Amino acid sequence: ECTYYFSLQDGSFLIRKSSGQDSRQPYTLVVFYNRRVYNIPIRFIESTRQYALGREKSGEERFDSVAEIVENHQHTSLVLIDSQNNTKDSTKLKHVVRVS
């Protein structure tokens, strides 16, 4: 099921509904970089009605919409952490992947 990933360019991305039924993490940002697929949770913060990426951290960037996250990271690099190999990369969101 993952074979089509290998024709993608670095910075390709899509947003999908998260697999769990958790209202605090409604979506996942999937980023393709360096032949790897990164799944970054998009959290919904009930108190401010905003969205943020990844695990909760102090001083994190918050956004009013998922589209705003995408727009921001088309200009600002997104840090990609591979916890298995303990490596860090970064890329901008460049190519939206249309899933039929």
Side-chain angles (χ1 to χ4, degrees):
E1 63 164 341
C2 295
T3 48
Y4 71 93
Y5 280 133
F6 293 102
S7 61
L8 295 178
Q9 297 168 283
D10 284 351
S12 295
F13 70 96
L14 60 95
I15 288 170
R16 64 172 172 79
K17 280 199 162 124
S18 289
S19 27
Q21 293 300 311
D22 188 349
S23 61
R24 288 164 305 183
Q25 189 187 306
Y27 304 105
T28 300
L29 171 61
V30 182
V31 182
F32 184 82
Y33 185 77
N34 202 11
R35 300 188 63 164
R36 288 204 185 110
V37 177
Y38 294 85
N39 289 286
I40 304 163
I42 298 176
R43 284 181 297 108
F44 179 66
I45 301 146
E46 192 71 54
S47 58
T48 60
R49 319 256 342 134
Q50 289 177 302
Y51 295 89
L53 287 174
R55 291 202 190 111
E56 196 171 341
K57 48 211 165 291
S58 63
E60 68 187 356
E61 280 189 279
R62 293 181 173 188
F63 302 91
D64 292 328
S65 66
V66 174
E68 209 174 276
I69 292 176
V70 171
E71 283 163 27
N72 180 69
H73 288 295
Q74 285 175 324
H75 308 288
T76 312
S77 284
L78 179 64
V79 176
L80 305 169
I81 297 167
D82 182 334
S83 47
Q84 285 173 323
N85 298 310
N86 209 14
T87 57
K88 263 190 191 182
D89 273 308
S90 68
T91 186
K92 292 178 182 166
L93 301 180
K94 295 176 189 159
H95 318 280
V96 65
V97 178
R98 305 266 174 225
V99 180
S100 50

